[in-house]
Amino acid sequence: MRVLLIEDDATLGRALQEFLTSQGYAVDWLADGKRALLAIKNYSYDLVVLDLNLPDMDGLEVLQTFRLEGRYIPVLVLTARDALADRVAGLDAGADDYLSKPFELDELAARVRAFARRHLGTVVPIVEFGSIRFDTVHREIRVAGELLTVSVREMSVLEMLLSRAEKVVTKQQITQALSAMDADFSENAVEVYIYRLRKRLEGLGVAIKTIRGFGYMLELEA
């Protein structure tokens, strides 16, 4: 899932970018509203995490601007403005969720995971396919009851394949979901993660099939 973080505080912005990246998301971090609007226009995002106190324009103005342009992207507002009137104004402007500062990183992670499940079409906390059981809340994958140890990126790729099991997921979809503006991530990297996952799933009744010219599909072995 690709996330746009809009936060003008350099220390907090860097910390949140690093934290969300560690959770398996591709995160672009911008510190002002005008650049954020350009990014939203030119890139595809699955979630915007928006601070309201920006240096060049109010965060609500940023939100209202791209909503009026007809762009629907889920928005999680982060702000120190915790009065009821401020929360109502944010939701009325088009925000989907609201988190008041200061907040715990665990709570932020839980909110973002909820958006990720919606994005992937997963409305239940447990996704099962064959011998695979993926706990989307605690971020654990078990195969035949045994914990499968994978990297954050491998987990993100497998999550995409699980969410569309027995359907094709293209290399482009995976690349876009895992790429950030300043990250060197390519379709060749996708092939590496697919190779590693195949090795981990060998003999477990589930396989990743290559659909030449298109991408990959998770399927049960005969």
Side-chain angles (χ1 to χ4, degrees), residues 4-21:
L4 175 61
L5 170 65
I6 310 171
E7 169 60 62
D8 70 314
D9 183 290
T11 301
L12 179 59
R14 187 174 299 107
L16 291 179
Q17 183 183 39
E18 291 176 356
F19 173 72
L20 291 172
T21 299

Side-chain angles (χ1 to χ4, degrees), residues 7 30 55 104 120 126 128 140 152 160 175 191 207 221:
E7 169 60 62
L30 297 174
E104 297 293 332
L120 291 171
I126 303 296
E128 294 184 285
E140 284 187 351
V152 170
M160 290 189 71
T175 302
E191 292 177 3
E221 292 183 320

Side-chain angles (χ1 to χ4, degrees), residues 23 29 169 189:
Q23 299 294 298
W29 166 39
V169 180

Side-chain angles (χ1 to χ4, degrees), residues 29 67 80 84 99 143 160 163:
W29 166 39
R67 284 286 189 255
L84 176 59
L99 191 56
V143 182
M160 290 189 71
S163 71

